[in-house]
Amino acid sequence: MPKRILQGTVTSDKNDQTITVLVERRFTHPVLKKTIRKSKKYRAHDANNQFKTGDSVRIQECAPISKTKRWEVVTA
């Protein structure tokens, strides 16, 4: 089964080998027919600590690395 790949912006890089990525999705509301933005934060594994706050990154699903990390950075 293919792994999901999401694109988002780094909001935090304070932890060692971990970044927080804000992923925003847009969709049309079924009743109001209005475009709505929803966002969610994911914690991703960044082995080399190379990404900083504000960077645009792509993350991919992976096996659990810690209690909260289930994603890893693919590329910027």
Side-chain angles (χ1 to χ4, degrees):
M1 192 164 145
K3 296 182 179 180
R4 287 183 293 169
I5 296 178
L6 302 175
Q7 185 167 356
T9 307
V10 178
T11 57
S12 174
D13 62 344
K14 302 242 183 269
N15 298 310
D16 187 35
Q17 295 188 344
T18 303
I19 58 173
T20 304
V21 180
L22 182 77
V23 175
E24 183 181 279
R25 63 186 191 94
R26 293 170 183 243
F27 63 96
T28 304
H29 190 280
V31 176
L32 302 177
K33 307 300 183 202
K34 183 177 180 179
T35 302
I36 296 176
R37 299 184 332 177
K38 278 203 178 212
S39 58
K40 186 172 179 180
K41 287 183 180 178
Y42 296 93
R43 291 168 59 84
H45 185 66
D46 175 18
N48 301 325
N49 290 323
Q50 63 186 23
F51 298 103
K52 302 297 174 200
T53 303
D55 291 349
S56 180
V57 295
R58 294 173 61 144
I59 57 175
Q60 173 179 315
E61 277 183 309
C62 68
I65 297 169
S66 71
K67 180 180 175 182
T68 57
K69 285 197 288 186
R70 271 82 174 128
W71 297 83
E72 60 189 354
V73 177
V74 177
T75 180

